[in-house]
Amino acid sequence: MLQPLLALSQPELTDWVQTQGQPAYRAKQLHQWLYQKGARSLSEISVFPKAWRQQVADYPVGRSQIDYCSTAPDQTRKYLLRLEDGLTVETVGMPTDKRLTVCVSSQVGCPMACDFCATGKGGFTRNLQAYEIVDQVLTVQEDFGQRVSNVVFMGMGEPLLNLEQVVVALRSLNQDVGIGQRSLTVSTVGLPKQIQKLAAHQLQITFAVSLHASNQTLRQQLIPSAAHYTLDQLLADCRDYVQLTKRRVTFEYILLAGLNDLPEHAQELAKHLRGFQTHVNLIPYNPISEVDYQRPSRQRIEQFKQQLERDRIAVSIRYSRGLEADAACGQLRSLRQHPDNGNKPA
Ligand code: SAH
């Protein structure tokens, strides 16, 4: 199979045009048409000589099709994108004042099976290629007609299980699409050895770890893979990450009513994070239909935050966007694939 052109760097595109018998300067044109003008086929590139354009008209660029898109009242748009092999992934575009943040998927499905996560309930199909990740960002950018300012790897999948392709995508998003490294966030549940591997790339990206629990017993209950990777080991690896990259780690913490949202959990969490260069992102649980966890009240959420602040932990609350759209996060795909489920808010 031919390697699609998207996610290739300028030097790689130079190699490619030269193997096609074209002068090196064509790579610069190609780069601009792929990443700035959003070319979907080489036949569109009018600055190329006609004969060559026809010759390479079917060469794969690596763009997906929008299968479905819904817009929430807060202007968040959720997309189901159809890949070349017919599989679909979810991508979300979230506009705020000046920003446009894209939530990208890194895998089709996910093998981690976290109990509160809709994607985890559907199992795993395959890793995404770097071009399929870059395509998601370009698709949202084009659909909004606005430059993407931030990308978060918080869609379907576990990025550190697809590290090689994720790192290629990060490079391309930074150097080809032009998004600053600090505006690229990789979120992981944490996997043995993988955090060190990411750290070794010495990227200046934002690194987020889904902690979700203040002790091993609770974490294991929510995240099956935590049984083989203790909270202490995970935190030790995160400390090494900070040391090596000089970047702080963000910890994500889903708040589940009555389960991990009590003042004692906040205190326990603070104890683990004391002296750690970190920021905690509290995520009120976004209900999914498969399980009956509850989202805590606003008051409970505020109390949890205040408890952490008393312990001098930097903390913010992240309310999910686009909840009014026709699916909660990660659920669009299963709803669209099983139309019998209806197409209404989960
Ligand atoms: N696999 C990666 C990234 C994908 S999920 C990870 O685990 O970090 C991105 C974030 O959304 C994670 O923090 C995940 O735990 C969270 N999440 C998943 N399901 C959720 C739900 N129902 N409500 C709120 N957050 C959820």
Side-chain angles (χ1 to χ4, degrees):
M1 210 193 87
L2 297 170
Q3 169 69 39
L5 297 173
L6 207 60
L8 294 188
S9 64
Q10 180 89 56
E12 288 165 333
L13 290 176
T14 304
D15 285 348
W16 183 77
V17 298
Q18 286 179 327
T19 59
Q20 295 288 320
Q22 292 291 318
Y25 70 86
R26 297 251 175 254
K28 207 166 166 201
Q29 297 172 323
L30 179 56
H31 192 272
Q32 199 198 1
W33 279 75
L34 286 179
Y35 296 109
Q36 311 309 314
K37 296 186 189 252
R40 297 185 155 263
S41 153
L42 299 187
S43 63
E44 287 171 35
I45 308 184
S46 53
V47 289
F48 285 171
K50 215 170 173 182
W52 186 48
R53 244 159 74 195
Q54 278 168 357
Q55 213 179 314
V56 291
D58 294 330
Y59 200 93
V61 164
R63 299 302 309 265
S64 67
Q65 299 293 328
I66 298 179
D67 208 48
Y68 178 79
C69 174
S70 68
T71 305
D74 68 3
Q75 297 311 310
T76 291
R77 293 185 203 167
K78 297 191 176 188
Y79 305 84
L80 203 57
L81 303 183
R82 185 165 295 275
L83 309 171
E84 220 171 19
D85 58 4
L87 295 173
T88 52
V89 284
E90 288 190 32
T91 303
V92 185
M94 298 171 283
T96 44
D97 285 351
K98 291 194 184 88
R99 291 180 174 191
L100 175 57
T101 300
V102 181
C103 177
V104 294
S105 295
S106 56
Q107 299 183 312
V108 183
C110 183
M112 303 310 295
C114 299
D115 202 35
F116 46 79
C117 176
T119 306
K121 300 290 175 200
F124 171 71
T125 308
R126 71 165 170 90
N127 278 335
L128 289 183
Q129 294 293 305
Y131 73 86
E132 294 171 316
I133 298 172
V134 174
D135 163 74
Q136 296 175 53
V137 176
L138 294 182
T139 297
V140 175
Q141 184 156 285
E142 287 157 17
D143 194 52
F144 274 83
Q146 183 186 338
R147 280 194 76 92
V148 167
S149 58
N150 299 72
V151 176
V152 296
F153 283 69
M154 295 186 186
M156 304 182 141
E158 170 44 53
L160 294 197
L161 282 177
N162 188 15
L163 186 59
E164 200 183 310
Q165 292 298 310
V166 164
V167 168
V168 174
L170 288 168
R171 187 215 55 76
S172 180
L173 291 172
N174 177 229
Q175 292 174 17
D176 304 323
V177 183
I179 304 169
Q181 283 201 33
R182 284 159 195 247
S183 305
L184 303 172
T185 300
V186 170
S187 173
T188 179
V189 72
L191 293 158
K193 301 206 174 72
Q194 294 306 95
I195 294 180
Q196 287 99 315
K197 281 191 196 154
L198 176 66
H201 287 278
Q202 298 262 15
L203 300 173
Q204 290 301 295
I205 59 164
T206 300
F207 181 52
V209 174
S210 296
L211 210 55
H212 303 334
S214 55
N215 60 62
Q216 175 64 18
T217 312
L218 199 50
R219 192 161 193 272
Q220 225 169 285
Q221 193 183 321
L222 299 171
I223 304 171
S225 65
H228 315 287
Y229 190 36
T230 64
L231 186 59
D232 287 343
Q233 189 56 54
L234 169 63
L235 291 171
D237 289 344
C238 290
R239 285 199 173 83
D240 290 347
Y241 183 95
V242 172
Q243 236 188 1
L244 204 71
T245 62
K246 308 281 182 276
R247 298 279 298 155
R248 72 179 184 183
V249 173
T250 298
F251 287 108
E252 296 162 277
Y253 192 101
I254 289 192
L255 287 166
L256 302 159
L259 200 71
N260 68 355
D261 67 335
L262 305 175
E264 67 228 45
H265 295 123
Q267 282 164 358
E268 198 175 29
L269 179 62
K271 223 188 279 170
H272 283 299
L273 302 185
R274 201 155 289 154
F276 204 133
Q277 241 185 305
T278 180
H279 180 97
V280 174
N281 225 323
L282 299 175
I283 317 173
Y285 168 63
N286 184 5
I288 65 168
S289 48
E290 293 91 339
V291 281
D292 60 356
Y293 293 122
Q294 301 295 320
R295 167 186 288 220
S297 66
R298 245 176 212 262
Q299 193 194 5
R300 265 282 176 81
I301 296 168
E302 277 303 324
Q303 279 170 354
F304 197 94
K305 178 170 179 258
Q306 284 160 13
Q307 180 61 52
L308 288 178
E309 282 168 343
R310 272 197 289 277
D311 286 317
R312 298 181 193 287
I313 307 282
V315 55
S316 55
I317 303 173
R318 189 174 76 214
Y319 284 98
S320 298
R321 302 268 326 253
L323 282 182
E324 306 85 344
D326 56 3
C329 70
Q331 292 194 289
L332 187 56
R333 186 163 155 261
S334 58
L335 281 179
R336 297 291 303 171
Q337 280 173 352
H338 306 287
D340 295 351
N341 293 352
N343 192 12
K344 34 186 198 311

